[in-house]
Amino acid sequence: AASRSPSVAGVLRRVVLGRRARARFGCLSAVTELSFRNGLWVLRKAAARPLLIFLHLDKSSRCDKAADSFREAAALLEGVVALAALDVEAEYRLAKKFGAAEQELPSVLLLKTDRAGVSQRRIISHPLTADSIAAGVAE
């Protein structure tokens, strides 16, 4: 059996961004793919605004459907909140730090921060529609 060598894009994705999973939202999206390597950078970048994190599994049809709703919500909320996605399976250590490893997936984690750290943490779960995500942010 012939062994497959990794693609250049795959190697760059792992080395530069620390991703083990495929990018669900694409490089031109407002949604940042969270990894253990860029997690601190994303939190610092989002310090002035709430951070909305889409928690998902890479190979789940239910998560694929919810990702479409998150894309719609991202279009509505771009500029209002910082947007990120976290593949819980591929980035389990980071998911555990957020307390997301025990959540029912897919779900959305809303973090509001101040200078002292995280001041409010809320989980938005079923039904995950663009309207329910936007309403969860507005509360």
Side-chain angles (χ1 to χ4, degrees):
S3 66
R4 265 182 60 188
S5 62
S7 69
V8 173
V11 170
L12 284 174
R13 184 173 62 230
R14 282 192 304 279
V15 171
V16 175
L17 300 174
R19 290 191 199 126
R20 291 183 199 76
R22 67 181 169 89
R24 182 178 290 270
F25 291 92
C27 62
L28 298 179
S29 173
V31 179
T32 303
E33 301 280 343
L34 269 175
S35 70
F36 204 78
R37 286 189 180 174
N38 74 356
L40 189 58
W41 175 80
V42 171
L43 287 173
R44 284 185 183 147
K45 182 180 152 193
R49 323 179 265 185
L51 175 62
L52 199 60
I53 304 172
F54 175 60
L55 307 169
H56 64 91
L57 294 172
D58 190 36
K59 295 181 175 118
S60 165
S61 61
R62 203 164 98 185
C63 292
D64 286 340
K65 291 175 188 171
D68 294 335
S69 297
F70 191 74
R71 275 189 196 89
E72 290 175 32
L76 295 171
L77 298 169
E78 188 175 357
V80 177
V81 297
L83 301 157
L86 177 62
D87 183 341
V88 173
E89 190 174 36
E91 297 294 341
Y92 185 76
R93 289 188 318 166
L94 184 59
K96 202 170 177 183
K97 289 204 179 282
F98 280 120
E102 297 83 29
Q103 298 300 323
E104 183 178 340
L105 300 175
S107 58
V108 175
L109 175 64
L110 175 65
L111 299 175
K112 293 186 179 179
T113 59
D114 56 17
R115 290 183 186 257
V118 174
S119 60
Q120 185 180 358
R121 181 181 181 278
R122 186 170 1 124
I123 297 289
I124 304 166
S125 53
H126 302 287
L128 275 182
T129 63
D131 294 334
S132 69
I133 294 169
V137 170
E139 290 179 358

